């Protein structure tokens, strides 16, 4: 089928190699050194403002954020050795998923990405086999609603603030594939310090 062919093509172009200098490019292009602009990026992801942030940029940001946590594991405490670090800490299973399944580098462009948002090519949508698989894997990185209730709630609170309470209720009720993927990505980026610390 077209979808299967698209998935195969995408997989063939991707590898686990280290990307080229893509980090500075997306940071400069979207002005991600500014917390205000990072806030706007998250809003645009929720609102599907593809003319303001492309799907490929979203996938690239995901890659950079998770690659940072994989390459530079966060400690349990801050520099004072006493204050608890609220940043998420990856367990070994999560690290394996990142290394083996999620973190990919395009062999042609050298750009790293986590293929979670369709990039608008024929046959490429939220039902694409690879898109579905990657979004299911990404759910394993969300804060647990019981064990990490505060972090779970904080992420949703910020989504509501960005998208609007009524709009969020309607989106949750309709539960489109697009909303489920995009709201999940925004909550993940919030949880993994994109908004507060940047990339």
């Amino acid at each position: 089928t077209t979808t299967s062919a698209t998935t195969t093509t995408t997989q063939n172009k991707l590898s686990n190699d280290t990307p080229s200098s893509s980090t500075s490019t997306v940071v400069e292009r979207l002005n991600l050194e500014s917390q205000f602009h990072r806030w706007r990026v998250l809003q645009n992801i929720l609102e599907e403002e593809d003319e303001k942030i492309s799907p490929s940029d979203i996938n690239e940001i995901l890659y950079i954020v998770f690659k940072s946590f994989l390459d530079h594991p966060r400690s349990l405490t801050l520099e004072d050795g006493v204050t608890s670090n609220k940043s998420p800490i990856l367990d070994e299973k999560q690290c394996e998923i990142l290394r083996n399944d999620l973190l990919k580098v395009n062999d042609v462009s050298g750009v790293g990405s986590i293929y979670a948002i369709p990039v608008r090519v024929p046959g490429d949508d939220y039902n694409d086999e690879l898109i579905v698989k990657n979004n299911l894997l990404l759910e394993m990185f969300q804060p647990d609603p019981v064990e990490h209730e505060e972090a779970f709630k904080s992420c949703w609170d910020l989504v509501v603030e960005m998208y609007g309470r009524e709009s969020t209720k309607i989106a949750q009720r309709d539960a489109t594939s697009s909303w489920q993927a995009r709201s999940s990505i925004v909550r993940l980026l919030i949880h993994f310090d994109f908004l507060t610390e940047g990339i």
Side-chain angles (χ1 to χ4, degrees), residues 67-176:
K67 188 74 160 57
S68 170
F69 273 79
L70 181 64
D71 292 346
H72 308 285
R74 278 37 174 186
S75 60
L76 292 172
T77 59
L78 299 181
E79 291 182 359
D80 60 14
V82 178
T83 308
S84 295
N85 186 359
K86 293 187 178 181
S87 295
I89 298 174
L90 299 174
D91 60 35
E92 187 53 41
K93 183 176 181 180
Q94 290 173 324
C95 290
E96 288 182 9
I97 290 172
L98 288 173
R99 292 191 194 99
N100 299 330
D101 298 295
L102 290 175
L103 298 178
K104 301 296 179 181
V105 178
N106 188 294
D107 291 334
V108 177
S109 67
V111 174
S113 68
I114 292 179
Y115 194 56
I117 296 290
V119 293
R120 306 294 185 237
V121 297
D124 190 9
D125 58 29
Y126 288 96
N127 293 318
D128 178 278
E129 182 181 345
L130 188 57
I131 293 282
V132 172
K133 174 189 172 184
N134 286 350
N135 279 298
L136 286 173
L137 289 174
L138 284 170
E139 282 297 315
M140 299 177 68
F141 294 82
Q142 295 283 6
D144 186 273
V146 176
E147 293 184 15
H148 304 100
E149 181 181 3
E150 182 179 348
F152 179 85
K153 185 175 182 298
S154 294
C155 291
W156 269 115
D157 286 346
L158 282 171
V159 166
V160 170
E161 188 172 347
M162 291 173 182
Y163 198 59
R165 186 169 300 280
E166 289 305 313
S167 295
T168 301
K169 284 182 180 179
I170 293 171
Q172 287 177 316
R173 181 196 65 199
D174 295 343
T176 64

Side-chain angles (χ1 to χ4, degrees), residues 7-19:
T7 301
T8 302
T9 301
T10 302
Q11 287 175 317
N12 288 341
K13 290 182 178 179
L14 300 176
S15 72
N16 295 87
D17 295 335
T18 301

Side-chain angles (χ1 to χ4, degrees), residues 12-81:
N12 288 341
K13 290 182 178 179
L14 300 176
S15 72
N16 295 87
D17 295 335
T18 301
S20 58
S21 57
S22 63
T23 303
S24 59
T25 304
V26 74
V27 170
E28 292 168 2
R29 185 167 62 249
L30 299 177
N31 195 14
L32 297 180
E33 292 182 356
S34 160
Q35 186 176 39
F36 171 78
H37 284 92
R38 295 196 299 272
W39 177 279
R40 289 295 298 142
V41 160
L42 295 178
Q43 279 188 317
N44 290 334
I45 293 173
L46 290 171
E47 295 169 2
E48 297 195 63
E49 295 285 356
D50 290 350
E51 71 277 6
K52 295 180 181 178
I53 177 169
S54 70
S56 58
D57 280 342
I58 299 170
N59 294 337
E60 187 177 346
I61 289 171
L62 272 174
Y63 176 96
I64 296 168
V65 168
F66 278 103
K67 188 74 160 57
S68 170
F69 273 79
L70 181 64
D71 292 346
H72 308 285
R74 278 37 174 186
S75 60
L76 292 172
T77 59
L78 299 181
E79 291 182 359
D80 60 14

